[in-house]
Amino acid sequence: MSETETAELEQFRSETRAWLEANCPPEMRKPATSDADVFWGGRSAKFSSEPQRIWFERMRDKGWTVPDWPREYGGGGLSAAEHKVLRSEMARIGARPPLSSFGIWMLGPALLKYGNEAQKKEHLPKIAAGLIRWCQGYSEPNAGSDLASLQTRAESDGDDFVITGSKIWTSYANYADWIFCLVRTDPTAKKHDGISFILFDMTSKGVTTKPILLISGYSPFCETFFDGVRVPKSHVVGTVNRGWDVAKYLLQHERAMISGMGERGVGRPLGQIAADSVGTDAQGKLDDAMLRGQIAKFDVDEAALAACAERAVDLAKAGQAHPAFSSAMKFYGTELNKRRYEILMSAGGVDALEWESERSKQGARPRAWLRTKANSIEGGTSEVMLGIVAKRILDLPGA
Amino acid sequence: MALVLTEEQSMLRDSARGLISDKAPVSHLRSLRDSKDPTGFSKELWQSFAEMGFAGLLVPEEFGGSGLGYMEAGVVMEEIGRTLMPSPFLATSVVAASALNRGGNAAQKSEFLPRIASGSLLATLAIDEGAKHRPLQTALQAVRAGNGFKLSGAKALVVDGHVADLVIVAARTSGSAGEREGLTLFLVNPKAKGVSIERTIMVDAHNAARIELANVEVNADGVLGEVDQGADLLDGVLDIGRGAIAAEMVGLSDEVFNRTVEYLKNRKQFGKLIGEFQALQHRAAELYVDIEITRAATMKALQALDADVGKAASAVAVAKARAGTTATRAVQEGVQMHGGMGMTDQFDIGFFMKRARVCEELFGDANYHTEQLARARGY
Ligand SMILES: Cc1cc2nc3c(=O)[nH]c(=O)nc-3n(C[C@H](O)[C@H](O)[C@H](O)COP(=O)(O)OP(=O)(O)OC[C@H]3O[C@@H](n4cnc5c(N)ncnc54)[C@H](O)[C@@H]3O)c2cc1C
Ligand SMILES: Cc1cc2nc3c(=O)[nH]c(=O)nc-3n(C[C@H](O)[C@H](O)[C@H](O)COP(=O)(O)OP(=O)(O)OC[C@H]3O[C@@H](n4cnc5c(N)ncnc54)[C@H](O)[C@@H]3O)c2cc1C
């Protein structure tokens, strides 16, 4: 990097720092406490607080809900280096993302790569501005890890496809405005070759959803049924029957996102949280030597993973990343997040077992603990991730 | 700074790899071991290291060195780790050179640094006294005598101790074992009266020695840094050494892993390549992930050292702790997945296991550094 570039980046850093100081409300400088505290956007979106609204609108106006998307699609147009600076400055003050959405994490990157100009112009700005909330229609009752065996049919009828079948585990399908969906457009082809990636409105005739209750007591996902849903063929992203390429590319982004879940490196150190309930000895050490050791090992691994996540982004920007590396990160990140919550439950002891009380914020901790168990299942299980690493990165036989 | 090698660093890696894989494959270590070589490394190869600018890699240009950073030192260490090459690079060019450069006065720097860079001086740090790495437990006594000091006590695991021309000794000038105050570093000539050195043949066939000092006289200009205030200097130098060893362990882990994956692709049992068994595939994949994460943590630590040695402690603790657990896992899986072959001396994999064990103890094992991180985070 030349000296002038470095100077420009330093300038950008100081401006960004000042802007964040002035514009990020103090309430938004800590992790969301529950799903209700996260802003997801969409037609029926409501802000849970005034600071949440302010923070979202200010960031949206700068294009910083999607800082590295091109400006013409509602993004911030930042370079890789600038985006890294923004992320590190946000992390420095613990600023949370202003908008969470499947549109940002998953569909957006796939549209940027595979969408046509009309699709990009139609959908990307609405994602950036939090106007449309998306859900993901991949899994089916008989197509989980073996996703490519999906059976939801899309039959050609003039300019439309007519879609019939059912999806399961569709996160937030009951709140979503649109769905990106995998459908079988050629039932005679080999299983990977007859799939298309298609977009449609969840208010279309023939779409119904039925929430499923999770072990956490929440029901963030649904069974989703399609009964002769009519969708224009122009809504197919990429080529008909080549949807598997789009699906896989999207999964890389999804996995990278899931591997980063959990409030890594922000907020108080886990050891100090544990000290609240476990107490400390005369030297200020956690009064439970075994737990202290577990936490310290966790902290080592978490810091190392954070470095690896940073490196993964840098490698991608340098064109040196292995496309399957997000599977490696997804495996480790999700297993680590499960470990974090096992530690939190152990540290909380009896207090962490309350399920319904004001004191426990309606069992926030045990519910969050149970929710993390899905991390190593959703977006592809840990076993499937290891299989992908074995096959695509290590090139092991028969994997 | 991006966590990827720059073009210059990649070139450095390629030239280090070229030299090392050509002149010092694992068979080089094997022959030094089998011939009970008295020096324990190849002097000729060390001269090549000097000519290529590696011996003085961290030495500033004004003293005849290359004036490069810790990231570059790590790049060389990683290559050393791949072939387990016995080399004075760690003790002389990384640890001692850093101690002199960071703690030395003008006279000390101009006396020693150019000779390190030219490959003509071997130096080392003598720190540990007990079975485990506990720098603050330093008890070797230095009492004032005339214009200087008299040193008495014993040191263990002094890397290259029997071949060094200069030994930097951590001693206690005041206070008692366990305290930060009262530590001082001394430049000791191993030929001085009262110094006795026993070469210790170690499990990894790399150089190490026990050193005993009995009323060894060191005059005032042999003090490195400030009297009683050596802890900060020592912390920095140790962290630099730890970052470098972590890089060696990444190279070692990666090499063991590559060899093991190759084996999985070639060995047949039950009519199949053993790499087809999912039980092994998943373990190999987990190990791969572990190594990549440790590699990133190590690069992060080296970058932190380049930015500010005084602020790199936590990043270094993370890297050395991870390097320890990762290398241990890599060599164990390496031996296990080679079956009976992995247990034979004729096969190289055991050399990696032995070296990993020594690297784990050097300058603090995984438990030590995990403990340091817990303290730094206040719990
Ligand atoms: C909270 C949550 C949210 C989700 N959100 C969505 C969503 O929004 N949209 C969507 O489409 N899907 C979603 N999913 C579905 C998710 O992608 C699937 O659950 C996942 O792919 C696993 O499929 P399955 O549940 O059918 O398990 P199965 O595939 O039946 O797996 C059962 C077990 O067998 C193991 N297994 C399977 N195959 C192999 C193999 N080859 N080798 C070794 N072990 C194997 C698995 O690892 C697992 O442990 C969500 C899931 C959860 C839990
Ligand atoms: C110290 C020592 C003493 C011994 N003494 C004797 C003795 O007295 N008499 C005698 O007959 N033998 C002896 N053996 C041989 C020993 O029984 C074999 O080494 C052992 O059975 C493994 O076979 P292998 O070495 O060919 O490894 P391989 O079978 O080639 O195994 C290599 C790796 O692949 C794994 N692997 C193989 N098949 C599978 C599978 N289906 N699924 C998952 N993983 C698999 C193995 O677990 C191993 O990690 C001895 C070995 C040693 C090391």
Side-chain angles (χ1 to χ4, degrees):
Chain A
M1 207 179 285
S2 77
E3 266 172 46
T4 43
E5 274 176 301
T6 319
E8 272 172 27
L9 212 53
E10 277 317 303
Q11 166 91 3
F12 177 75
R13 183 182 293 279
S14 59
E15 281 168 15
T16 300
R17 183 173 293 188
W19 188 86
L20 288 171
E21 271 309 335
N23 288 284
C24 182
E27 297 84 349
M28 295 293 108
R29 298 185 188 195
K30 49 181 179 247
T33 50
S34 70
D35 199 47
D37 199 22
V38 174
F39 184 61
W40 288 95
R43 288 175 188 142
S44 54
K46 285 194 194 64
F47 294 102
S48 66
S49 71
E50 191 55 11
Q52 191 188 60
R53 182 187 64 80
I54 294 171
W55 177 226
F56 166 72
E57 288 178 355
R58 287 177 180 165
M59 288 290 275
R60 176 199 62 197
D61 292 346
K62 282 186 86 76
W64 284 1
T65 53
V66 282
D68 61 343
W69 289 11
R71 282 191 169 279
E72 51 183 316
Y73 305 130
L78 299 190
S79 69
E82 286 168 338
H83 191 198
K84 190 168 178 174
V85 167
L86 173 61
R87 273 199 309 268
S88 79
E89 288 303 315
M90 285 177 68
R92 199 183 65 87
I93 60 169
R96 67 172 76 162
L99 173 64
S100 296
S101 94
F102 288 17
I104 296 177
W105 300 325
M106 305 183 208
L107 180 62
L111 276 182
L112 282 167
K113 184 166 167 81
Y114 289 98
N116 60 37
E117 196 51 36
Q119 289 167 339
K120 291 187 209 175
K121 283 232 162 69
E122 168 65 21
H123 298 297
L124 294 175
K126 291 180 186 164
I127 292 172
L131 296 173
I132 292 294
R133 182 170 183 178
W134 287 85
C135 65
Q136 176 186 34
Y138 274 33
S139 304
E140 298 179 5
N142 291 316
S145 296
D146 184 13
L147 179 60
S149 67
L150 61 94
Q151 293 302 330
T152 292
R153 276 191 357 259
E155 279 168 353
S156 175
D157 184 13
D159 289 340
D160 295 337
F161 280 119
V162 177
I163 299 175
T164 305
S166 63
K167 296 285 174 181
I168 194 167
W169 322 126
T170 329
S171 295
Y172 307 112
N174 48 342
Y175 303 124
D177 306 312
W178 276 65
I179 185 167
F180 50 91
C181 196
L182 294 180
V183 293
R184 189 155 298 283
T185 33
D186 183 355
T188 61
K190 281 198 294 180
K191 68 177 181 179
H192 293 98
D193 296 340
I195 295 171
S196 298
F197 187 106
I198 195 164
L199 314 175
F200 53 94
D201 195 316
M202 288 293 279
T203 59
S204 308
K205 192 158 162 286
V207 179
T208 48
T209 61
K210 190 171 148 216
I212 305 168
L213 197 63
L214 285 186
I215 52 177
S216 61
Y218 295 127
S219 65
F221 61 17
C222 298
E223 289 178 89
T224 307
F225 304 96
F226 310 125
D227 183 9
V229 181
R230 215 162 245 290
V231 181
K233 287 182 175 166
S234 62
H235 287 200
V236 170
V237 177
T239 312
V240 172
N241 290 332
R242 299 300 313 157
W244 188 245
D245 297 338
V246 188
K248 274 195 305 187
Y249 181 77
L250 182 142
L251 278 172
Q252 285 170 26
H253 285 270
E254 176 178 7
R255 287 166 186 162
M257 181 279 293
I258 295 174
S259 80
M261 287 201 316
E263 49 272 32
R264 189 169 305 146
V266 299
R268 294 169 69 214
L270 203 47
Q272 291 178 21
I273 297 173
D276 294 347
S277 42
V278 175
T280 53
D281 66 13
Q283 295 159 4
K285 286 188 191 173
L286 209 57
D287 208 359
D288 182 332
M290 294 302 196
L291 178 65
R292 180 172 179 271
Q294 278 179 18
I295 293 176
K297 283 198 180 123
F298 171 87
D299 278 354
V300 165
D301 290 337
E302 187 191 47
L305 178 68
C308 196
E310 185 183 337
R311 179 165 146 81
V313 174
D314 293 340
L315 282 171
K317 303 270 149 94
Q320 298 172 22
H322 193 291
F325 196 69
S326 61
S327 296
M329 294 296 289
K330 202 262 174 190
F331 161 72
Y332 199 89
T334 56
E335 295 297 334
L336 193 70
N337 204 37
K338 290 199 295 185
R339 236 167 97 195
R340 176 189 183 86
Y341 273 88
E342 286 300 326
I343 289 172
L344 279 168
M345 288 303 285
S346 170
V350 171
D351 292 343
L353 302 176
E354 273 188 38
W355 190 250
E356 287 181 0
S357 66
E358 206 36 57
R359 202 171 30 248
S360 67
K361 300 205 178 87
Q362 302 307 323
R365 193 179 291 188
R367 289 172 198 269
W369 162 66
L370 289 164
R371 175 63 181 83
T372 61
K373 300 307 175 202
N375 294 164
S376 52
I377 300 170
E378 58 197 320
T381 68
S382 281
E383 292 74 21
V384 168
M385 294 305 101
L386 292 175
I388 291 173
V389 170
K391 176 180 181 178
R392 300 200 35 216
I393 301 183
L394 306 182
D395 198 24
L396 285 170
Chain B
M1 280 291 269
L3 280 175
V4 288
L5 295 186
T6 62
E7 216 167 296
E8 291 81 9
Q9 288 162 348
S10 303
M11 282 163 60
L12 175 71
R13 180 197 56 201
D14 294 345
S15 65
R17 185 174 294 180
L19 176 71
I20 293 171
S21 61
D22 181 32
K23 294 280 194 298
V26 180
S27 57
H28 173 64
L29 168 65
R30 182 186 290 278
S31 74
L32 289 168
R33 181 195 70 173
D34 293 348
S35 66
K36 299 197 190 309
D37 185 275
T39 312
F41 67 92
S42 156
K43 287 187 174 164
E44 195 189 330
L45 207 49
W46 184 237
Q47 265 317 306
S48 307
F49 252 55
E51 280 152 26
M52 290 177 78
F54 296 163
L57 188 138
L58 290 171
V59 172
E61 281 167 312
E62 53 173 317
F63 298 110
S66 310
L68 294 174
Y70 304 116
M71 193 71 159
E72 283 81 9
V75 164
V76 174
M77 285 300 290
E78 185 172 331
E79 296 311 315
I80 286 177
R82 283 180 197 283
T83 72
L84 310 173
M85 172 193 181
S87 166
F89 186 74
L90 173 68
T92 297
S93 305
V94 177
V95 177
S98 297
L100 288 161
N101 194 36
R102 296 176 61 76
N105 57 34
Q108 290 166 335
K109 286 191 200 181
S110 49
E111 181 178 357
F112 297 113
L113 289 177
R115 291 165 62 201
I116 287 182
S118 71
S120 59
L121 180 101
L122 299 180
T124 187
L125 174 72
I127 170 83
D128 290 336
E129 298 177 6
K132 299 296 284 187
H133 178 66
R134 298 284 182 268
L136 295 185
Q137 292 297 330
T138 295
L140 187 142
Q141 284 287 339
V143 292
R144 280 189 193 272
N147 163 40
F149 293 83
K150 277 190 175 169
L151 275 58
S152 298
K155 294 286 182 184
L157 192 63
V158 183
V159 178
D160 292 334
H162 79 296
V163 287
D165 307 300
L166 173 70
V167 182
I168 302 171
V169 176
R172 191 157 283 287
T173 34
S174 71
S176 46
E179 292 174 4
R180 271 190 83 76
E181 264 306 289
L183 291 178
T184 308
L185 297 184
F186 290 94
L187 302 176
V188 175
N189 178 350
K191 306 231 160 54
K193 195 162 157 273
V195 179
S196 45
I197 297 175
E198 177 203 347
R199 179 185 188 184
T200 42
I201 303 293
M202 307 290 277
V203 64
D204 64 340
H206 279 53
N207 281 341
R210 290 183 183 272
I211 298 188
E212 262 184 53
L213 307 182
N215 286 313
V216 175
E217 289 179 23
V218 180
N219 58 23
D221 52 16
V223 173
L224 187 68
E226 289 194 37
V227 174
D228 283 345
Q229 306 301 319
D232 286 351
L233 173 60
L234 194 57
D235 279 349
V237 171
L238 287 172
D239 276 343
I240 291 164
R242 289 159 181 152
I245 297 168
E248 177 178 349
M249 294 169 93
V250 168
L252 176 160
S253 305
D254 202 44
E255 181 64 24
V256 169
F257 180 67
N258 291 339
R259 288 173 182 230
T260 304
V261 169
E262 264 320 290
Y263 196 72
L264 298 185
K265 291 175 184 173
N266 288 298
R267 169 73 173 165
K268 272 194 169 169
Q269 285 291 282
F270 301 100
K272 286 181 177 175
L273 294 168
I274 57 173
E276 291 179 56
F277 300 125
Q278 197 181 54
L280 300 188
Q281 288 179 347
H282 282 194
R283 273 159 56 192
E286 278 203 48
L287 181 53
Y288 164 82
V289 178
D290 248 358
I291 293 170
E292 287 310 308
I293 289 173
T294 299
R295 181 195 307 285
T298 301
M299 293 175 84
K300 189 86 188 163
L302 294 167
Q303 251 182 25
L305 286 164
D306 277 325
D308 184 347
V309 170
K311 290 190 182 140
S314 286
V316 169
V318 167
K320 184 65 168 70
R322 281 283 315 187
T325 45
T326 301
T328 302
R329 183 179 196 172
V331 295
Q332 298 199 69
E333 290 288 44
V335 169
Q336 177 66 20
M337 292 189 195
H338 279 84
M341 283 298 282
M343 287 300 296
T344 61
D345 183 68
Q346 172 215 339
F347 207 70
D348 284 346
I349 220 87
F351 280 83
F352 288 87
M353 177 171 269
K354 294 167 179 174
R355 180 62 187 159
R357 195 74 224 23
V358 173
C359 289
E360 168 64 339
E361 288 305 321
L362 264 176
F363 300 158
D365 63 9
N367 286 338
Y368 175 89
H369 289 291
T370 305
E371 169 70 28
Q372 297 309 307
L373 190 71
R375 289 186 191 195
R377 298 208 168 167
Y379 58 86

